Amino acid sequence: MKPNFNIELLPEAIDFLDKLDDKTRGKIYYNIKKSQFVNDNNLFKKLNDFIWEFRTLYNGRAYRLFSFWDKTDGKETLVVATHGILKKNQKTPPKEIKKAEEIRKEFLDHKAKNK
């Protein structure tokens, strides 16, 4: 079975995951992989027009990896994970969404310049 999209982790997302213990990191990777094959808002949810989040609830903690879609090549659909957080309350912090939007803009601008 072919995944619905490929995933690229930007350095800040990798750093976030590297700081977690092995079991937590494994659970997040498992959920990311699963989200490539099933459409489930508990795993991958749209936050606004451009930003999505990979969602993992593990040991009573809510982990989020912010991401966006990159369809600029017209070939494979790519989801780019920008950074991650451990959520402290119900509401996703607006500053984290804004940060993901800024990273998205930089990523797409850089990609357009280097074509």
Side-chain angles (χ1 to χ4, degrees):
M1 194 162 134
K2 187 177 185 295
N4 296 321
F5 54 84
N6 291 316
I7 298 169
E8 180 178 330
L9 300 174
L10 295 180
E12 201 170 327
I14 293 169
D15 289 345
F16 171 74
L17 291 167
D18 284 348
K19 291 176 184 161
L20 301 172
D21 65 84
D22 290 344
K23 285 191 174 193
T24 303
R25 186 180 327 105
K27 177 68 172 171
I28 292 171
Y29 277 127
Y30 173 83
N31 282 349
I32 288 172
K33 196 84 183 142
K34 187 175 177 183
S35 71
Q36 290 179 283
F37 296 95
V38 298
N39 189 1
D40 183 347
N41 270 351
N42 289 322
L43 296 175
F44 190 52
K45 182 179 178 185
K46 186 174 186 174
L47 297 177
N48 67 21
D49 288 344
F50 302 111
I51 304 303
W52 291 64
E53 66 181 0
F54 288 104
R55 304 158 56 94
T56 299
L57 186 61
Y58 182 66
N59 281 345
R61 293 186 165 151
Y63 298 90
R64 300 294 185 258
L65 267 182
F66 295 91
S67 58
F68 61 88
W69 293 85
D70 176 8
K71 300 178 185 179
T72 55
D73 287 341
K75 299 176 203 130
E76 302 249 345
T77 301
L78 180 67
V79 172
V80 181
T82 60
H83 68 291
I85 62 166
L86 171 60
K87 274 183 58 176
K88 306 260 191 278
N89 57 34
Q90 285 293 101
K91 190 133 176 72
T92 300
K95 72 175 187 165
E96 299 297 343
I97 296 170
K98 184 161 180 46
K99 179 178 180 177
E101 288 171 339
E102 289 167 3
I103 293 170
R104 175 186 174 270
K105 184 179 179 331
E106 286 174 26
F107 178 90
L108 295 175
D109 286 351
H110 178 75
K111 190 172 177 179
K113 284 180 194 168
N114 293 316
K115 270 197 168 182

